[in-house]
């Protein structure tokens, strides 16, 4: 999902996902009419060892929901079996992706609480 929505505390990670999303989108359009297929799965937070204690605290304090690796893997298999180009996992994440695409900077205030939690976790003054 961070390839679609820029969230406080995830600037570099989100930028890398945005680049991959843009690459997949362009490549999908380049191979139109061939036997190749490019699909994009956008999971929300996923429960892995990649998330350190600080990341888990951030998710807990901001109410960020996360899915197990099994849920994400199942969604990937479903996507691969479908003809869909993209799939975003989670609610309200699917809504957030659509709103962010339409409203862009108009969504900035929606993430004020996450920015405040981030500053608290890192003891950064505004």
């Amino acid at each position: 999902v961070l390839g679609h929505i820029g969230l406080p505390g995830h600037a570099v990670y989100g930028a890398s996902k945005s680049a991959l999303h843009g690459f997949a989108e362009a490549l999908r359009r380049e191979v139109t009419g061939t036997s190749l297929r490019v699909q994009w799965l956008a999971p929300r937070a996923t429960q892995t060892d990649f998330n350190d204690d600080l990341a888990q605290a951030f998710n807990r304090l901001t109410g960020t929901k996360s899915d197990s690796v099994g849920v994400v893997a199942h969604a990937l298999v479903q996507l691969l079996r479908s003809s869909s180009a993209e799939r975003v996992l989670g609610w309200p994440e699917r809504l957030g992706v659509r709103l962010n695409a339409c409203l862009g900077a108009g969504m900035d205030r929606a993430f004020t609480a996450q920015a405040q939690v981030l500053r608290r976790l890192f003891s950064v003054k505004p």
Side-chain angles (χ1 to χ4, degrees):
V1 169
L2 296 181
H4 293 281
I5 302 173
L7 293 181
H10 299 87
V12 173
Y13 184 80
S16 69
K17 296 301 180 184
S18 292
L20 288 172
H21 179 248
F23 173 73
E25 182 178 77
L27 186 59
R28 181 176 63 242
R29 292 169 180 170
E30 286 180 21
V31 301
T32 296
T34 72
S35 61
L36 298 175
R37 184 174 60 173
V38 177
Q39 295 171 295
W40 172 262
L41 179 66
R44 60 184 172 182
T46 305
Q47 300 159 8
T48 69
D49 291 337
F50 182 72
N51 296 320
D52 61 14
D53 292 341
L54 197 55
Q56 290 179 32
F58 180 81
N59 288 343
R60 195 172 42 258
L61 290 168
T62 59
T64 300
K65 292 184 170 68
S66 60
D67 293 315
S68 70
V69 172
V71 166
V72 176
H74 180 73
L76 177 59
V77 170
Q78 286 181 319
L79 177 62
L80 292 172
R81 290 180 176 161
S82 76
S83 60
S84 298
E86 299 187 0
R87 180 169 180 201
V88 176
L89 299 186
W91 183 263
E93 290 80 3
R94 281 190 305 275
L95 175 62
V97 165
R98 291 180 189 269
L99 289 173
N100 194 66
C102 295
L103 302 175
M107 291 283 293
D108 288 357
R109 278 188 264 154
F111 300 106
T112 300
Q114 283 89 345
Q116 290 171 345
V117 167
L118 185 67
R119 285 192 286 276
R120 265 196 344 259
L121 284 173
F122 287 99
S123 300
V124 176
K125 303 214 189 278

